Amino acid sequence: MKVFARLLALLVLFLSAVPGHAAAPASAALPSPAPGRLSVYFLDVGQGDAALIVSPTGKTVLIDGGPPEAGTRLAARLRELVKGPLDLVILTHPHLDHLGGLRAAVKAVGARRFMDPGFDHPSEAYRDLLDFVGREVGQVMSPEPNPNSPQTLLTVGLGEGVALTVLWPRVPQEPFLANTRSDPNANSIVTKLTYGKTAFLFTGDSEPPTEEVLLQKPVDLTATVLKVAHHGGKHSSTAAFLERVKPQAAVISCGVGNDYGHPSPEVLGRLSDVRARAFRTDQDGEVMAVSDGTTVTLRSTKGSAGATSLSGTLQAGSPVALGPIEPTPHGRSSRSTAKEPEPGASRTRKPVEPTAPTGTSEATGERYVSLKGSKVFHRENCKTLKRSKNERTVYPSRADALRERRPAEDCHP
């Protein structure tokens, strides 16, 4: 056995010395979420985006799911890190390198809520995903601000003072950006995660017009860690935006040898100008950031320099919004968000406040509908039904529907 072990060791050394057969550096598995800490995993999904948030109380948020080919790996990693269904899944925008692995992710661990911008997009993969989450996820929503306080920002509390605030988009209070280089990218969901003096900024594939809108608002954009927009593409992460964010660390999610040349030298240079330590999933593998509310510690699976510790600079408990949010300047968009989508167009549903049934269907004449394979039923006018092509079952009364299904959480039938 000793002779065999020596021969095997010599073979490994020989192969590592042969061009084209360099032994890959060992990937040290990152630890499970730290109890009582905020953990953020920037998952290695190749040329795409996926990040998992685990709050000190165990609340979980998945932001994007990478491309389709990453689905199996993403599902396996989530099973290791998540206990029970995800509390929220956010699709920042309807492009395949962000949505492709979400079906596998939801199938692997489940999800209670799904959010995306509600931006119309003709992608068949996007429509299929919406049909899937309409069947499998209890509530499907778009990030509409509270209608009772339309100038405030939508915030999701994750316990122990951890909050996830949506900075963009703000439909219907403000229209989607239009006539940009890429409207789906420009209307990516941008969120800020805060815990004590530390903060994370997630930017999807946002564009310079998105950054310009945010810069015009009295919003605190500073962040300890920035998830760099558009995989480090040169059209995002403008100098003015980075000066406002002041990131101490920046994570770039991109694939090894990708066809786009991501990250671009221009963005790497601008990150260097603001003295942000750059982490790249193509070189560093998965990146984990842990915050205790005062300090963020980052480590990666392929990192050779050990952990990096950063001190938070926010005033503990300071609000994300520093003043009233003004509307976006006129002329920025020609879209109207009040009208119904064209037949077959993909739209997410607006969040609906829970309401108790005010009467029976016999009194109102209302019918209830369930999609094929779904465990829930909806009101007949629910937007889930309008955008789904699946077969459906129609119930003449709520009592009939309750015998076979449970009420959906989006339209609260």
Side-chain angles (χ1 to χ4, degrees):
M1 290 299 290
K2 290 182 179 180
V3 173
F4 176 77
R6 288 173 183 170
L7 288 174
L8 182 60
L10 288 172
L11 178 61
V12 171
L13 288 172
F14 172 76
L15 288 176
S16 65
V18 177
H21 291 83
S27 296
L30 295 175
S32 298
R37 299 287 190 268
L38 171 64
S39 300
V40 180
Y41 295 83
F42 299 92
L43 303 168
D44 183 6
V45 290
Q47 184 61 19
D49 261 23
L52 174 69
I53 299 167
V54 184
S55 80
T57 59
K59 296 291 186 182
T60 53
V61 180
L62 178 66
I63 302 179
D64 290 328
E69 58 269 23
T72 301
R73 185 167 70 251
L74 175 64
R77 189 64 176 127
L78 290 176
R79 289 191 191 100
E80 294 173 349
L81 298 173
V82 175
K83 308 302 180 187
L86 293 159
D87 291 290
L88 175 63
V89 173
I90 296 176
L91 172 63
T92 59
H93 64 291
H95 280 166
L96 194 61
D97 57 335
H98 291 248
L99 67 84
L102 286 181
R103 179 189 289 260
V106 173
K107 281 186 174 180
V109 297
R112 293 186 172 92
R113 294 175 180 82
F114 174 88
M115 177 193 292
D116 83 340
F119 183 83
D120 293 347
H121 195 267
S123 162
E124 183 176 352
Y126 177 50
R127 290 198 301 269
D128 289 345
L129 176 65
L130 291 179
D131 283 340
F132 171 75
V133 298
R135 297 190 305 269
E136 300 295 328
V137 180
Q139 182 178 7
V140 181
M141 58 191 292
S142 54
E144 178 182 332
N146 186 337
N148 296 323
S149 183
Q151 294 306 308
T152 61
L153 297 172
L154 175 66
T155 298
V156 179
L158 299 177
E160 294 293 333
V162 178
L164 184 67
T165 301
V166 178
L167 306 182
W168 186 259
R170 301 193 69 253
V171 175
Q173 278 71 21
E174 299 177 56
F176 284 121
L177 293 168
N179 305 315
T180 68
R181 197 183 68 89
S182 170
D183 289 354
N185 285 348
N187 292 293
S188 291
I189 292 180
V190 178
T191 55
K192 183 173 180 179
L193 177 69
T194 54
Y195 181 39
K197 296 181 179 181
T198 64
F200 298 76
L201 189 64
F202 300 89
T203 55
D205 277 1
S206 55
E207 295 272 320
T210 322
E211 298 177 359
E212 181 184 343
V213 166
L214 294 174
L215 289 172
Q216 291 173 352
K217 297 182 179 300
V219 173
D220 180 6
L221 296 176
T222 57
T224 320
V225 180
L226 168 69
K227 198 294 296 182
V228 177
H230 208 177
H231 323 289
K234 65 181 179 180
H235 295 290
S236 302
S237 305
T238 59
F241 186 71
L242 293 179
E243 285 288 345
R244 181 84 165 265
V245 176
K246 298 180 175 61
Q248 297 181 55
V251 180
I252 302 169
S253 185
C254 59
V256 177
N258 64 82
D259 296 333
Y260 308 96
H262 293 158
S264 69
E266 295 93 331
V267 167
L268 292 175
R270 293 197 287 266
L271 290 171
S272 178
D273 290 342
V274 295
R275 300 181 179 179
R277 164 74 188 277
F279 291 81
R280 299 168 46 169
T281 58
D282 62 334
Q283 295 181 352
D284 298 304
E286 181 178 301
V287 179
M288 178 186 186
V290 178
S291 170
D292 61 5
T294 301
T295 302
V296 176
T297 301
L298 296 100
R299 54 175 59 88
S300 63
T301 54
K302 300 178 184 178
S304 58
T308 299
S309 294
L310 309 170
S311 297
T313 57
L314 301 182
Q315 180 179 351
S318 62
V320 172
L322 302 182
I325 306 301
E326 300 297 330
T328 302
H330 292 297
R332 187 148 316 259
S333 172
S334 60
R335 285 180 93 88
S336 170
T337 60
K339 66 180 182 179
E340 286 296 314
E342 296 295 327
S346 298
R347 284 290 301 273
T348 52
R349 297 184 294 280
K350 299 174 182 178
V352 181
E353 293 298 320
T355 55
T358 55
T360 65
S361 57
E362 288 81 0
T364 62
E366 186 175 19
R367 298 189 302 174
Y368 299 87
V369 179
S370 176
L371 296 172
K372 183 180 179 180
S374 174
K375 299 176 182 178
V376 302
F377 67 91
H378 305 262
R379 294 182 184 273
E380 191 173 22
N381 61 355
C382 179
K383 290 185 179 180
T384 295
L385 305 176
K386 293 181 180 180
R387 71 186 184 189
S388 177
K389 300 177 182 178
N390 285 5
E391 296 179 19
R392 55 196 65 196
T393 300
V394 179
Y395 299 96
S397 71
R398 188 173 187 275
D400 290 331
L402 280 171
R403 293 189 185 99
E404 299 181 3
R405 305 285 191 272
R406 57 180 171 83
E409 293 185 15
D410 50 0
C411 57
H412 300 282

